Amino acid sequence: MVTDSSPNFDDGADIFSPMVGDESESMMGKRKEVAVIELEGSRRKKKKKHGGTPRPACSWVHFSRDFIKEYSASHPESSGLKVATKAASDAWKVMTIEEKSKYTKRAREVWNDYLSSAPAREPKPRKQANLVTRCSPGRLVNVLKHFTDEQKEAVKSMGFGSLLDLKCRTLRRSLCLWLLERFNTIRRSLEICGERIPLYPHDVELVMGLSATGKEVINSGPDDLVAELRQKYNASNRGISVRFLEERLGQPEAGDDFKRAFLLYVLGTLLCPTARLDVSPSFLHLLTDMDSIHEYNWAKFLLDRLVREVSRFRQGKQRAVGGCLLFLQIFYYESVAIAGTCEPGPAGVPCLSLWTEEAISEREKQEKELGGYGCGEVVCKDRGLGLGLLNDRDHVDVVPLRVVSARANRGTLVRQEDNLENVPFAYKNENTPPLRIENYGYKNPLEYTNTNPHDSRGMYTGQSTCSCPLLNCNFTGLFQELSDHFSSKHWDSGRRFQYNSPLPVSLGMDETFLVLQAEEDGVLFLLNKGTENIGHTVMVTCIGPSNSNERFLYCLVSERGNSSLKLKSYTQTLPGRVEGIPPSDFLLVPFEYLNSSGELNLEVCIWNPSDLGEV
């Protein structure tokens, strides 16, 4: 038993009165001492096995060593080291700081000797983070090889025939991680080899063989429309089982049931996988009209989902990376050439069919020999990649094309050097009084004229000038000239977007605006950010003649956890960027909604008035 609950360890006095026992008792005490020594020896061996000099013991360890020796000698009737250690712990807890100072001083001296004599420790190599993804091309390949000829024809009729030639079974996860670190989701580009390569739906078409034209893919709608399909495919809130779909695809039939199962399976395992193991039940809305599946713009849908999933991963909203990482992998192989891999020239269409496991293994070997990824030469322009709608692959320096206003002549391509004076631009609601924004000091008055009194389309006169919104650019010109100017000179300074499609964006701490340009007609918009006492004000304006009647419906959404802020309003049309926020509706986002880097993350959606059926 302990004779004093608060022993004085500083003066070295015996705490326990030694007891003289018989020979068996003394042998027991020796065995305990041997056990303590063996335990310490085993600890030293373990540390030596791991390599390096063992770290010095703390003050508690110095105390426990002395205590256990004395306790074992004075309590031969106790059995095992566990009891002695428990007694040492109880005694240590009731000791004062002064009583512990003896052991604290001893531990400090040993630690100082360790620091002065121990060699410098080599830093451990940083362990690469594991990539968790549901994109599984090998799983799809295993299913495809069992398809009958009728089933293959059904796949082709849906517009997914290129996937039948898929030969890549595994993702190179180290390459995917490297690309994800250099994937700019704001600009939708890869920043590799010292260059910024923009990504377009056209690139998805070249790489994956999916259509980059057609109707917008909309995977949402009333739940009652897909209630029967949810029951048919055992869809829960978590999703649709991949194994269940594989069983469906294993059956020999090739009708609509097969097509539905294949579409769900290929979206959930390759083209648009989410962070979950199961297939997203939102894809069920695509199954209501199987006759129109081949008419959709699947390339744009794949790219939009990839950007969305990578953005959510970076924001910490999900542990796994969703989206089609296979597209990024093959796009890199096709866009960056290394010695002996390929000659510059048009890429084979689709590129998906050219990259076998053997070809990828050889490419990875060459990448490793050169020192890692990013050591090659960017040749995407020579191979028709990273150029959006540009189809002329014979000339890298060709003047960019742009789409003339979809409301005037949808789908017409015009070169910049062509005369644009007679190209009509549609701005509806001409009878509505123009908006007047005062006290903003615009340079020139803007006049609107109608080229045909019987035509709702109009154009702007030579006096209708607009200015470039970028601070370091003094360009001023016609409305249509500004669109061409920004597309050619500042293509990497803004974000291109599609009407009626949500776009995730971020504004840094020092960024007060972001330029958005519509892919369909080249119209420029500004996402403006102001600062108030409690947060940031955000709104969208359109760049154009201030007396234009055209107003675009837009929606802004900011999220934080389970909370969200939303604004739905109409744009004002201004001939450029103005200082401050114009008097209009805005979204006030508190500072608490900013991420750890001070960035403001938003989701922006701008609707095309012609698609809304406005008059």
Side-chain angles (χ1 to χ4, degrees), residues 508-526:
M509 295 180 60
D510 300 328
E511 291 181 304
T512 58
F513 69 95
L514 175 66
V515 183
L516 306 175
Q517 187 170 30
E519 292 183 0
E520 289 91 334
D521 51 19
V523 176
L524 295 174
F525 297 85
L526 283 179

Side-chain angles (χ1 to χ4, degrees), residues 70-91:
E70 296 178 358
Y71 187 88
S72 300
S74 59
H75 293 75
E77 74 282 358
S78 63
S79 58
L81 183 63
K82 185 176 181 180
V83 176
T85 304
K86 179 65 168 58
S89 176
D90 294 338

Side-chain angles (χ1 to χ4, degrees), residues 295-310:
E295 300 176 1
Y296 288 112
N297 188 337
W298 292 107
K300 178 182 177 299
F301 185 63
L302 183 150
L303 184 59
D304 291 344
R305 297 285 296 201
L306 176 63
V307 172
R308 171 195 166 189
E309 291 294 326
V310 175

